Amino acid sequence: MVANAGAMSNLGQSSDSVRQHNLSTVLRLVHLNRKILRSQLTSITGLNRSTVSALIAELEELGLVEESESEGSSGVGRPSLMVTPNEKVVAFSVNPEIDATTVSVVTLSGQVMDRRRKLMGSHPSPEDAIRVSAEEISDMRKKFRPGTQIAGVGVSVPGQVRTSDGVIRYAPQLGWVESAFATALSQETGLNVFLGNDASLGCLAEARFGTAKNVNDLVFLFAGSGGIGGGVVSNGRTVGGAAGYAGELGHMKVSSSGRLDYSGLPGTLESLVRREDLLDFFKLYVATDEELDAEIKSIESSRAKRLMHDQLDSLAEGLSNLVNIFNPEVIVLAGFLTSLFEFDPDYLLARVKKGSLAAAAERVVIRNGALGADLLVLGAAELPFDALISSPSSYNLQSAYATRVESGEGDSL
Amino acid sequence: MVANAGAMSNLGQSSDSVRQHNLSTVLRLVHLNRKILRSQLTSITGLNRSTVSALIAELEELGLVEESESEGSSGVGRPSLMVTPNEKVVAFSVNPEIDATTVSVVTLSGQVMDRRRKLMGSHPSPEDAIRVSAEEISDMRKKFRPGTQIAGVGVSVPGQVRTSDGVIRYAPQLGWVESAFATALSQETGLNVFLGNDASLGCLAEARFGTAKNVNDLVFLFAGSGGIGGGVVSNGRTVGGAAGYAGELGHMKVSSSGRLDYSGLPGTLESLVRREDLLDFFKLYVATDEELDAEIKSIESSRAKRLMHDQLDSLAEGLSNLVNIFNPEVIVLAGFLTSLFEFDPDYLLARVKKGSLAAAAERVVIRNGALGADLLVLGAAELPFDALISSPSSYNLQSAYATRVESGEGDSL
DNA sequence: AAGAGTATGTTGTTGCAAACAACAAAATAA
DNA sequence: TTATTTTGTTGTTTGCAACAACATACTCTT
């Protein structure tokens, strides 16, 4: 099956769709909180104790959650049971990069169980990445404990993804154009494959498990070696756009400068806030984010400081626009923007407020992301998990020991 | 009661909330379509014929909808009944401007029954506007047919509105700051009052009844004498932001120009695309949109053409950003932007595509709004109607013949 | 240490809303 | 006129959550 996190028409609701909805709701709460008491489930959902009990029993039957006696005493009265996701429910994360492909295993409880980075030739084709991913997945699958259930594969793509059919529309750094990645990887693995833009998935991860937990209006900005990407959550929902290409915040024009970004657009945020510029200045070549961060933390010269403030100015212009457009509760920065921010947090916030409307900016908070290296891994895994959670009783989980891919396994759209 | 289109937590669903949901769904469909066949309701909602029958009976009981035999034959088989909103359910729209306040009556079926524009002194205070509105409303109420039910009052505010408590945070043209408008007008009228930003309401109206009907991802840009406002619909839902201030698209910085907009921000869309500039050029002073449009349609001189193309260039820069950020299906223009667009539609579209990512722009369509003078009237009325529709059986409709405002009527938050 | 108090889990019953089936009604097509 | 098609109506069934009563397991008090 190929990804389509389809917005089911939520119109008429029959009585049994209520059951499905409540089942989803409970499973989602368990997944988001990693562990949660039964009593909390009843109070949060507003459902009756007996109803919650029945729902959990069904989820346990499906092998999706487990119950255990809670350790710490929580107060007077009979102690409530702790509900946790079943550790045997997992998803794969695939992250293709310019010189490597990383495959990871994530449990429904958010643990990264395994991670393998396969170095590849300098310009891998989609087919190369698919082959390598499928090999790693197949190998990891063999080592799973018996009874392990696989929700599917989530792929974080450094480029634009058409969500309707899981096609990579354009990934500039990789040089990939119109690749039916999801269908192909699904064929190779027999698993459900879901694609998402890397920054959008990072946004999702920070909104669910990171620094923006429980935030309903959120702007996320991520800068790596390949430019600046972004993601937005509004009303608690990811802003995806008509085809899934929304969130290209780095390509927002903020200046009349003629400098081009990696997509050839002039005067954009991405063209002005550049990791490369800093590396050049510090004469660092091929540095990790950590090395760059250390360099920034030890800045002394006023020339370096001026460079940093120039970068912060440009970043602030972009963020001001986003504040006016989205009136977010929180702005989350990731990648090398975290170092930039930490260089002078007050300055950035002040500049953002100066460039935006007082009302929209008055409560905004800027924070660094909290998930570090797990950002994209967790984000990508959320795609298959979302599909599972939205229909727990009917979702087609795969077993660990692969029924080898026979003809026409992985059903396409 | 004061507005708070509160996002009720949609978690646990009990059996009677299903009834409410389905009641809402049916009423919403009737409202959005103005008239709809029972058979269509069953097929769209997926509910059973008998269920739809019962729901409509309840809505009829509540005086919200009416049934009639459909006129034209629609094919073989027993003809289906036509369901329409009850014409006796109305809402008031209030639109304060710099020199006048307009009060209108709109039926649940979307008909504007009455509209009165009261001229006011040059700089009316919020209290002035509230007094005038309350007087007009009281007067109009007296003339309603017996049995008329009032859903409430919707106010379109040319400024920033805090949705949580219906306070006008800042309305630059009017010079209003922190005015508890909703509470005060509710006190005066005894009706439920809801506030919204004018451009956001325009967006809502175009998305529901105008040129963007059934569009789930939409960017709306509205330019009047007081600058440029905007609205966005993403995933079928209005983007409101944490406090309701989202959608200030006119204050997006797109250039390094030092020109200031009406809020004092430099290089923004609003500072570059200006009705005033055109009026100055054509030596028109205090012209209506129609007069300006006529002038633009008769342009001959290359100097005028250059001016128009400059304005289009700036508009395109803003729209390109919005395309990259939202990947909308449709962009809707209103106010004097319609004249600008019609001057050279192909040019604008080409420039927008040039400034944005190919993927995000490939299917985008630019259109003029279709609602004209009814835009804000219909948009504002949607606020009370939304409240009614989201809980048809428990909503507190007011009767036409006002029980005069006794002490502590209009319950505040 | 024992009992009171409290919060939670469990079981059996009830109530309610939508689905379903069978039938009636109102149109078209032949 | 008769067969066919589609829709509305009525009475019955099914399924899910609410509810009430009871059982359980902890804390707090004395």
Side-chain angles (χ1 to χ4, degrees), chain B residues 136-311:
Chain B
E136 291 301 318
I137 287 171
S138 165
D139 192 56
M140 289 165 143
R141 247 172 124 162
K142 290 182 192 134
K143 288 160 188 152
F144 283 162
R145 286 181 297 165
T148 302
Q149 294 184 293
I150 304 171
V153 184
V155 185
S156 66
V157 179
Q160 295 134 35
V161 174
R162 195 193 304 142
T163 36
S164 59
D165 56 2
V167 164
I168 299 179
R169 178 64 213 303
Y170 179 46
Q173 306 148 61
L174 302 172
W176 297 355
V177 179
E178 284 283 335
S179 162
F181 200 95
T183 309
L185 186 56
S186 181
Q187 290 267 338
E188 293 292 318
T189 58
L191 299 173
N192 302 336
V193 178
F194 304 81
L195 262 59
N197 169 268
D198 55 356
S200 300
L201 293 177
C203 178
L204 191 68
E206 288 288 353
R208 291 191 178 172
F209 307 110
T211 187
K213 223 184 285 185
N214 302 320
V215 172
N216 282 318
D217 292 272
L218 160 69
V219 167
F220 176 81
L221 218 53
F222 174 81
S225 57
I228 295 184
V232 179
V233 170
S234 171
N235 287 318
R237 296 169 60 94
T238 298
V239 171
Y245 304 135
E248 291 289 350
L249 309 182
H251 301 291
M252 176 172 50
K253 183 175 181 189
V254 294
S255 141
S256 306
S257 152
R259 277 188 84 166
L260 301 181
D261 63 26
Y262 293 104
S263 290
L265 299 176
T268 64
L269 185 59
E270 181 176 296
S271 76
L272 300 172
V273 179
R274 306 221 308 193
R275 195 170 181 274
E276 256 179 40
D277 287 0
L278 296 180
L279 293 183
D280 284 356
F281 182 91
F282 295 122
K283 303 206 166 23
L284 294 169
Y285 305 103
V286 287
T288 64
D289 276 356
E290 288 70 32
E291 288 165 332
L292 177 57
D293 190 66
E295 196 73 32
I296 288 174
K297 283 210 166 27
S298 63
I299 278 179
E300 294 278 334
S301 82
S302 59
R303 257 186 70 233
K305 286 180 184 168
R306 201 165 331 115
L307 174 63
M308 292 299 288
H309 279 119
D310 284 349
Q311 295 269 310

Side-chain angles (χ1 to χ4, degrees), chain A residues 328-341:
Chain A
E329 198 178 328
V330 178
I331 294 171
V332 176
L333 302 176
F336 101 94
L337 297 180
T338 59
S339 311
L340 196 54
F341 176 51

Side-chain angles (χ1 to χ4, degrees), chain A residues 30-75:
Chain A
V30 173
H31 172 59
L32 289 179
N33 292 276
R34 267 81 188 265
K35 54 178 175 177
I36 187 167
L37 295 170
R38 261 166 88 143
S39 56
Q40 294 179 289
L41 285 171
T42 65
S43 65
I44 295 174
T45 59
L47 295 169
N48 194 284
R49 283 208 297 276
S50 51
T51 308
V52 172
S53 184
L55 292 169
I56 292 174
E58 185 168 346
L59 290 173
E60 217 166 350
E61 193 78 20
L62 290 165
L64 299 176
V65 307
E66 286 175 329
E67 277 187 309
S68 57
E69 304 199 341
S70 68
E71 54 281 7
S73 80
S74 56

